[in-house]
Amino acid sequence: MYWNSLNGWLRAQCGTKVYKLALSSGCTCPNRDGTLGDRGCIFCDGAGAFAEAGDIPAQIAAARARVAAKAGPDARYIAYFQSFTNTYGPTERLRALYTAAMAPPDVVILSIATRPDCLGPEILALLAELNCIKPVWVELGLQTIHPTSAAYIRRGYDLPVYETAAANLRALGITVVTHQILGLPGETRADMAKTAQYIGQSGANGVKFHLLHVLRGTDLAADWQAGKFQAMTLADYIAALEDCIRSIPRDVVVHRLTGDGAKRDLLAPLWSGDKKRVLNAIHAAFARDDVEQGSAL
């Protein structure tokens, strides 16, 4: 059994446990501000949308406090701009935010979640500059390679846009982490495995696997309540995840095995609300099935 877990990779690189500090950039999203659309992706609940970035040192202090019970004195941190499109704004404004987030000595990585269509030349130049100071990761929300699914979730860009963004980032030596959603309506296990294989072939350094979960107030919730699709069972999710792990190269770092939404807004599948139970079930299944990353290639 083998998969290249992020925790193991970080320990090998940093010699200690590394924790993420979730930060807000205050950025909007072209899929919400009217540029591409005004309702976002179909699964997005808009929670915290366009929050003010506020004082980055204060955000870091608050984020440290949330992990203080687990983090020891030798812990290291990733400054993580997580929600929405964190390269969508004036370059100099973003420079100030990123630089402040990277400033603490124990912050060892800057991670920025964004869209592939929001990485213009000025942003790429800024990221390259910062990557010379500390490692920069850019997380790209691909979700699927299948056009029907991409249209359904209102992703708002075609596959070549992702390919160009990933190639540009790799050429600058910037780490690319690609997101995939399992359980999109109409997709088979084979479809999901093909997306995972594509991510590995695209040159991504890492991958995050997410379960499609239904949150109250989203357009996806309306479709689910109308019976247009069913949420995955835990067994089906694990089976699809195993296929995907087997379909990516051994050196691709697996940053996440599943994702979970806010419990107060979770409509389906309810089993996903118990993250510890879910991860225990995944690990047990991987051992039972002797899952080997890359074995299907």
Side-chain angles (χ1 to χ4, degrees):
M1 179 186 71
Y2 169 80
W3 79 96
N4 190 9
S5 72
L6 177 62
N7 282 340
W9 186 89
L10 285 170
R11 280 192 177 276
Q13 296 294 314
C14 301
T16 187
K17 178 73 173 177
V18 181
Y19 296 88
K20 288 186 176 178
L21 304 176
L23 307 175
S24 172
S25 69
C27 290
T28 64
C29 173
N31 216 5
R32 280 190 170 273
D33 72 356
T35 302
L36 295 175
D38 58 12
R39 296 189 61 80
C41 294
I42 196 169
F43 48 77
C44 181
D45 65 349
F50 324 140
E52 290 297 325
D55 181 76
I56 292 296
Q59 287 195 54
I60 288 176
R64 285 180 192 273
R66 289 192 289 271
V67 298
K70 300 181 289 185
D74 297 327
R76 296 293 181 267
Y77 299 95
I78 298 170
Y80 182 27
F81 289 99
Q82 179 177 12
S83 298
F84 303 99
T85 307
N86 294 288
T87 61
Y88 191 53
T91 305
E92 289 309 310
R93 176 181 178 274
L94 295 172
R95 179 192 297 276
L97 295 175
Y98 299 159
T99 301
M102 296 172 70
D106 55 1
V107 170
V108 294
I109 294 165
L110 173 67
S111 185
I112 302 166
T114 191
R115 294 171 56 93
D117 54 356
C118 293
L119 288 166
E122 289 187 358
I123 294 295
L124 288 171
L126 171 60
L127 297 176
E129 175 187 328
L130 297 176
N131 195 47
C132 293
I133 302 170
K134 290 182 179 179
V136 173
W137 296 354
V138 174
E139 302 194 11
L140 301 176
L142 175 65
Q143 320 307 2
T144 180
I145 62 169
H146 304 290
T148 300
S149 298
Y152 174 72
I153 64 175
R154 304 195 298 251
R155 190 178 66 190
Y157 66 85
D158 295 328
L159 202 53
V161 176
Y162 165 84
E163 293 169 354
T164 297
N168 287 339
L169 291 166
R170 291 198 315 270
L172 296 171
I174 293 170
T175 294
V176 177
V177 182
T178 303
H179 291 232
Q180 177 180 354
I181 293 177
L182 307 187
L184 292 171
E187 289 200 1
T188 65
R189 279 174 56 181
D191 291 333
M192 297 176 223
K194 286 178 182 176
T195 292
Q197 185 174 20
Y198 168 87
I199 290 171
Q201 293 172 341
S202 76
N205 305 93
V207 61
K208 281 188 173 182
F209 295 110
H210 299 267
L211 163 73
L212 181 70
H213 52 265
V214 182
L215 298 179
R216 185 176 288 104
T218 62
D219 291 344
L220 183 69
D223 281 0
W224 175 76
Q225 289 165 333
K228 293 183 179 180
F229 72 95
Q230 292 184 336
M232 293 186 95
T233 66
L234 177 57
D236 286 343
Y237 181 79
I238 292 175
L241 179 63
E242 290 184 339
D243 290 345
C244 290
I245 294 290
R246 295 183 178 112
S247 299
I248 58 175
R250 289 175 69 86
D251 61 345
V252 172
V253 179
V254 180
H255 286 237
R256 174 170 283 184
L257 292 171
T258 188
D260 53 345
K263 290 183 182 180
R264 66 182 180 276
D265 294 322
L266 180 65
L267 297 178
L270 293 179
W271 57 260
S272 67
D274 188 346
K275 189 171 183 178
K276 184 176 181 180
R277 171 177 170 263
V278 172
L279 288 175
N280 286 341
I282 290 171
H283 295 158
F286 280 13
R288 177 196 68 209
D289 301 331
D290 194 20
V291 170
E292 286 284 327
Q293 185 171 328
S295 63
L297 297 176

